Amino acid sequence: MNDKQLEACCYTDGPLLILAGAGSGKTRVITHKIAYLIDELGVNPYNILAITFTNKAAKEMRERVDNLVSYGAEYIWVSTFHSMCVRILRRHIDKIGGTKDFTIYDTDEQKIVIKEVLKFLNLDPKMYPERAMISAISNAKEKYMSPDDYERENATSFRDQQIAKVYREYQKRLKSNNALDFDDLIYQTIYLFETNPDVLAQYQDRFQYIMVDEYQDTNHTQFILVKQLAAKHRNLCVVGDDDQSIYKFRGANIYNILNFENEYKDAKVVKLEQNYRSTANILNAANAVIAHNEGRKDKTLWTEKEDGEKITFTRYDNEREEGRGIASKIKTIKNKGKSLDEIAILYRTNAQSRALEEQLIYENIPYKVYGSQNFYGRKEVRDILGYLKILVNPSDDQSLKRIINVPKRGIGDTTVDKLSTFAYSNNINLYDALLDIEEVPGMSRNVEKIGKFTEIIESLKAMLSPEYTLEELYDELLDKSGYIDALRAEGTDEAKARMENLEELKTKIVNYEETAENPNLTELLEEIALVADVDAEEDEDNPTAKVTLMTLHSAKGLEFPYVFIAGMEERLFPSGMSMDSDDPDALEEERRLCYVGITRAMEKLYLSAAVTRMMYGNTNYTEDSRFIKEIPSHYLERDGREAYSSSGSQTGKFAGGLGSGRLPGDVGGRGIVKPRIQHVNYYNQSTNPSANPGFGKAFPMGGQAASKDEFKVGDKVRHLKFGNGVVTDVVDTPGDKEITVDFERVGVKTMYASMVKMKKL
């Protein structure tokens, strides 16, 4: 061990804060500290408690402790917060009115109880969705708020008063069922200790030495619980890194670690700053970025490793080119004899994986999505594709069964089974049975519900005509089905992620429409099926090496020799929500997330951004992420669209135009609209956009993009999406022309001549 690790191991009396930077060997310090207590100081293993967050981390720590401690290791409590609380409550819950054979409810069981509560209180589940209620109750418990506390805290909000009633009735039913949910495990343990000082004293005497890993991720109740247990002997050692606090959305409170020295005035602080993972260039870049945060402890990572390769930053034309470029670089790495298992692609939002996955599939590069499903396997994507499949093939009974009650319409499984039996007996498909619902025996109570459903499907089928674009059909589907409204009402972080994925599916549809010679829904579904139908089976004896795809949040705790971070753009990373937030910590947490991403790389880091990115069906210009600007230029090498700028100046930066994520003048939210505020020449070798590989490929018209010299004022034109219009203005700009058209259907649009998908009439 190095000097600082040894110092942390040997300090045993009183509070200790170990600030462990990324890759600094913190788990090694915790386990060796336990061994030191037992072997050198003669501490009884029975008196040691080590707490971590995940079962995987607890298992790893247990194995390391068992290998280091030859005698008595089995008496050390190495556990997660929740498993520790279960053990305590199994012994003592009778003291607070429970019984020791209590059941622990998972999310599905919670939803069943909430559903009963909403029915009992006569509350509309569309106004008070089950998931939203579970989330609100969980947040209250993490703040150690009872139903009465919650009601008092939110006295001026009618909705929150209703939630307080749901919370109260939910707890009443849990108690009658002799059940606890996961938040109760910690909440009730704190309550047990508060109301039974003798029980608390028993555990204080037992746990004379307490170690808590990942302390920056603790929430309020976990902080209270640790404080209770350590109050007597005060031999509390917490290990963490405030620069890696990225789970505020899960309730993590960074101030638990930032204020540790205020809570324990005599606390010793040891900084572990030597990194054993990454090269010097990677660490220096990470240090430079995180230094811009104000709410942090001062520390700087360093390494004895060589400088290594510079970080590569590439600015691509669009997200498709970004995916293609990353795939190309991965093939180069593989051709050098490296395994795909050594490579990870990280991104800010799950929705970004779609463009990346498709390019990896096209290049025949095996991959796995860590902690999530492949894009086209995600529930919300499969649900909406199910609707689209029914529109072109009403005989698809499996797709129909998937979406008939999604979102919930009161059409249960029993009803669907009866309809399926009727359809089979009469040699018709299920959808035909729905259309003839009045003729189906025993369905009188369901006629209205099913009638409304088929009305939605029939109205959408009517849009399968040249008068409507697939984009318009998609928007109408999300609206009429009620799917988006249901997600909005849920209001959880998971629901927001699902909405982002549905917006990304829209991007796929718009991209398809802009590239297809004769866009139609059948061909679109075929294209998606070919991309989505990746053989998931793998020979267990000969597993295939795969590139790992994951969000930046999922990457914490992992490391890879080669790391790609895609989408380094303002309003994507950092997120627009964090930029618009009143919370001063929101942007700092995004920067901590960037720090985590950078420090996952061991040997080589690739960063990338796109000049234009289609989001929510709209193509927007982007500005490089502020995190790119915060990396000193001597740690970066730029290629692609960035290579022309030796000064490292940022392209795509328009004054006042990007705050909303839409370009100035893009009133209708469609098309590619160029701002008039500032013109920037993006092109490296030529002012002709078509001279740049990959540029303009997505905008064919009859096989070729329209010439930029083709249009003049007064020309009557037809745009694929916007319909008929008249050219009202043509303006020369550096390397291009702006064409302004007054469309009959959508009004005035200003577009690039080189990119517009339009022809003269």
Side-chain angles (χ1 to χ4, degrees):
M1 288 193 290
N2 63 43
D3 291 344
K4 288 297 181 180
Q5 289 176 330
L6 191 60
E7 181 183 0
C9 283
C10 297
Y11 187 86
T12 58
D13 296 325
L16 171 64
L17 169 61
I18 303 175
L19 290 173
S24 62
K26 66 181 177 61
T27 304
R28 175 181 173 83
V29 170
I30 296 174
T31 53
H32 278 75
K33 187 177 184 70
I34 292 172
Y36 178 81
L37 286 169
I38 296 170
D39 295 339
E40 300 296 326
L41 300 186
V43 173
N44 190 330
Y46 180 84
N47 296 131
I48 299 174
L49 168 66
I51 306 173
T52 188
F53 271 78
T54 66
N55 289 320
K56 180 182 178 182
K59 181 180 178 183
E60 179 186 351
M61 189 178 295
R62 163 60 69 188
E63 290 173 351
R64 292 200 191 187
V65 168
D66 288 346
N67 291 332
L68 284 172
V69 180
S70 56
Y71 174 76
E74 67 273 17
Y75 295 108
I76 303 169
W77 270 27
V78 180
S79 75
T80 64
F81 276 100
H82 290 101
S83 60
M84 176 185 72
C85 290
V86 168
R87 293 177 71 175
I88 293 171
L89 291 173
R90 289 288 183 203
R91 299 176 186 178
H92 307 286
I93 197 172
D94 56 311
K95 295 182 181 293
I96 54 174
T99 61
K100 297 177 182 179
D101 58 347
F102 61 84
T103 301
I104 302 172
Y105 276 3
D106 61 19
T107 303
D108 289 338
E109 290 163 323
Q110 286 181 274
K111 287 172 65 177
I112 292 171
V113 177
I114 290 291
K115 186 176 181 179
E116 294 172 351
V117 169
L118 293 175
K119 186 174 182 180
F120 174 77
L121 296 175
N122 197 29
L123 293 174
D124 185 353
K126 292 182 180 178
M127 296 291 293
Y128 300 90
E130 295 154 13
R131 288 183 181 273
M133 296 302 98
I134 292 172
S135 178
I137 292 170
S138 176
N139 290 337
K141 289 180 179 179
E142 286 183 355
K143 295 175 183 175
Y144 199 54
M145 296 174 67
S146 67
D148 290 342
D149 295 331
Y150 188 89
E151 188 174 41
R152 283 192 297 270
E153 183 80 14
N154 300 281
T156 60
S157 168
F158 174 78
R159 177 177 173 81
D160 286 332
Q161 290 293 297
Q162 299 301 103
I163 293 174
K165 293 178 182 178
V166 173
Y167 183 8
R168 186 175 290 108
E169 183 64 26
Y170 170 77
Q171 289 302 114
K172 181 180 177 182
R173 289 173 185 253
L174 283 189
K175 188 167 185 178
S176 67
N177 293 348
N178 190 29
L180 302 176
D181 61 29
F182 276 89
D183 294 303
D184 277 327
L185 297 176
I186 297 177
Y187 186 106
Q188 296 297 342
T189 302
I190 294 172
Y191 181 70
L192 168 69
F193 288 161
E194 280 187 346
T195 55
N196 295 269
D198 57 324
V199 177
L200 174 59
Q202 176 184 334
Y203 285 96
Q204 287 175 336
D205 285 335
R206 171 163 189 178
F207 300 132
Q208 296 179 21
Y209 295 88
I210 300 173
M211 274 150 278
V212 184
D213 193 13
E214 303 289 4
Y215 192 67
Q216 78 281 348
D217 294 335
T218 52
N219 61 30
H220 185 61
T221 50
Q222 290 162 344
F223 166 78
I224 294 172
L225 182 61
V226 169
K227 186 177 178 181
Q228 286 178 320
L229 289 171
K232 184 173 182 179
H233 294 280
R234 302 183 77 255
N235 296 323
L236 172 62
C237 170
V238 301
V239 185
D241 182 4
D242 52 302
D243 289 334
Q244 296 187 73
S245 179
I246 59 173
Y247 295 127
K248 187 173 184 177
F249 66 97
R250 295 181 188 169
N253 185 354
I254 189 174
Y255 293 102
N256 290 348
I257 192 167
L258 292 180
N259 294 336
F260 186 82
E261 294 154 274
N262 294 330
E263 193 68 41
Y264 299 94
K265 301 294 185 183
D266 57 337
K268 181 179 178 62
V269 179
V270 177
K271 298 178 183 179
L272 304 183
E273 297 172 294
Q274 184 174 357
N275 176 283
Y276 294 93
R277 175 188 300 154
S278 306
T279 62
N281 276 330
I282 292 171
L283 290 186
N284 290 334
N287 288 331
V289 170
I290 202 63
H292 286 78
N293 271 5
E294 295 181 3
R296 65 184 294 261
K297 301 282 189 180
D298 181 42
K299 59 184 174 300
T300 302
L301 293 182
W302 61 277
T303 183
E304 292 180 345
K305 290 188 175 184
E306 296 179 354
D307 289 347
E309 293 187 55
K310 288 187 176 183
I311 297 166
T312 298
F313 174 56
T314 309
R315 189 166 169 81
Y316 295 97
D317 290 331
N318 52 52
E319 68 272 17
R320 295 184 303 282
E321 292 297 325
E322 180 182 41
R324 192 172 296 131
I326 290 173
S328 176
K329 285 181 168 69
I330 289 173
K331 291 177 79 171
T332 299
I333 294 170
K334 185 175 183 293
N335 290 338
K336 292 180 179 179
K338 305 298 182 181
S339 170
L340 295 180
D341 289 334
E342 299 180 81
I343 304 170
I345 308 175
L346 313 182
Y347 36 81
R348 179 62 182 85
T349 68
N350 271 308
Q352 288 172 256
S353 77
R354 197 266 312 168
L356 296 166
E357 287 183 56
E358 290 192 357
Q359 294 304 324
L360 292 175
I361 290 169
Y362 292 151
E363 297 295 336
N364 198 28
I365 298 173
Y367 70 90
K368 58 186 175 184
V369 181
Y370 182 93
S372 178
Q373 286 184 305
N374 294 346
F375 181 81
Y376 290 112
R378 293 167 190 164
K379 179 185 182 303
E380 61 279 6
V381 175
R382 290 171 62 87
D383 286 344
I384 298 305
L385 289 177
Y387 274 98
L388 294 174
K389 289 175 182 177
I390 286 299
L391 299 184
V392 297
N393 179 19
S395 299
D396 184 353
D397 286 2
Q398 293 306 311
S399 292
L400 182 57
K401 288 177 181 178
R402 180 181 185 92
I403 55 93
I404 191 171
N405 198 40
V406 178
K408 292 181 180 178
R409 301 183 176 89
I411 306 173
D413 292 341
T414 302
T415 299
V416 175
D417 288 343
K418 289 180 180 178
L419 285 165
S420 296
T421 301
F422 175 84
Y424 183 79
S425 301
N426 289 272
N427 199 28
I428 59 175
N429 62 56
L430 181 57
Y431 188 72
D432 286 339
L434 298 183
L435 292 175
D436 294 331
I437 187 63
E438 294 181 356
E439 305 300 322
V440 182
M443 285 289 130
S444 57
R445 294 174 56 188
N446 295 295
V447 169
E448 184 178 357
K449 298 173 188 173
I450 291 173
K452 288 181 178 178
F453 172 72
T454 55
E455 184 179 323
I456 292 170
I457 300 301
E458 290 300 305
S459 67
L460 292 171
K461 285 170 66 178
M463 295 182 69
L464 295 176
S465 72
E467 297 178 24
Y468 299 96
T469 66
L470 294 179
E471 179 187 357
E472 290 170 331
L473 171 65
Y474 184 78
D475 288 341
E476 194 74 2
L477 164 56
L478 293 186
D479 180 39
K480 284 193 172 181
S481 67
Y483 204 99
I484 284 291
D485 288 339
L487 290 176
R488 285 197 188 107
E490 187 177 313
T492 62
D493 289 320
E494 181 184 354
K496 292 174 186 174
R498 292 187 186 280
M499 290 171 68
E500 288 176 352
N501 288 334
L502 292 181
E503 294 289 3
E504 182 61 22
L505 181 57
K506 178 177 178 177
T507 293
K508 167 64 180 179
I509 291 170
V510 173
N511 280 334
Y512 161 76
E513 234 175 341
E514 290 178 338
T515 57
E517 185 173 342
N518 179 30
N520 63 85
L521 183 55
T522 301
E523 185 180 76
L524 169 67
L525 292 173
E526 287 176 358
E527 183 174 306
I528 289 175
L530 291 173
V531 173
D533 186 24
V534 180
D535 186 6
E537 294 185 6
E538 186 175 291
D539 184 346
E540 293 184 2
D541 295 327
N542 296 289
T544 303
K546 297 179 179 180
V547 174
T548 300
L549 274 67
M550 68 178 84
T551 64
L552 285 149
H553 281 101
S554 298
K556 187 170 177 292
L558 302 176
E559 59 184 35
F560 299 87
Y562 303 92
V563 170
F564 294 81
I565 304 180
M568 297 293 295
E569 302 145 25
E570 291 285 276
R571 306 199 72 79
L572 180 56
F573 189 33
S575 70
M577 188 177 299
S578 69
M579 293 173 65
D580 298 335
S581 175
D582 294 330
D583 181 2
D585 186 57
L587 266 174
E588 296 215 341
E589 177 146 333
E590 290 287 298
R591 188 173 281 109
R592 294 194 291 270
L593 189 58
C594 182
Y595 174 84
V596 167
I598 291 173
T599 54
R600 298 312 95 194
M602 301 167 68
E603 298 177 21
K604 177 67 178 179
L605 175 64
Y606 299 87
L607 306 176
S608 60
V611 173
T612 64
R613 185 174 296 272
M614 184 174 286
M615 299 183 71
Y616 318 128
N618 301 314
T619 300
N620 298 316
Y621 276 94
T622 70
E623 180 181 359
D624 289 350
S625 169
R626 65 192 63 199
F627 305 144
I628 294 294
K629 303 171 188 177
E630 291 168 359
I631 299 174
S633 59
H634 51 277
Y635 299 131
L636 281 177
E637 62 177 8
R638 299 168 183 264
D639 66 8
R641 295 288 282 272
E642 276 293 308
Y644 79 94
S645 174
S646 60
S647 65
S649 61
Q650 304 304 310
T651 61
K653 185 174 182 179
F654 297 104
L658 292 166
S660 65
R662 179 176 291 171
L663 292 174
D666 189 8
V667 178
R670 298 182 182 220
I672 301 173
V673 185
K674 188 173 182 181
R676 296 181 181 275
I677 298 174
Q678 181 179 349
H679 299 295
V680 179
N681 180 9
Y682 289 106
Y683 313 116
N684 186 8
Q685 301 299 328
S686 169
T687 57
N688 178 6
S690 62
N692 291 274
F695 193 89
K697 289 181 181 177
F699 302 92
M701 190 66 191
Q704 295 292 330
S707 166
K708 66 180 181 180
D709 299 319
E710 188 174 344
F711 302 107
K712 62 182 184 296
V713 175
D715 282 347
K716 293 182 179 180
V717 296
R718 177 168 178 77
H719 190 280
L720 179 66
K721 292 200 305 181
F722 305 151
N724 294 343
V726 177
V727 176
T728 60
D729 195 14
V730 179
V731 178
D732 285 315
T733 66
D736 207 342
K737 286 189 177 182
E738 286 181 345
I739 307 297
T740 301
V741 181
D742 187 357
F743 291 102
E744 296 173 1
R745 184 155 56 90
V746 298
V748 177
K749 297 283 181 183
T750 301
M751 298 161 286
Y752 285 126
S754 61
M755 300 173 74
V756 67
K757 193 168 185 180
M758 183 171 68
K759 63 181 179 181
K760 287 198 293 186
L761 296 177

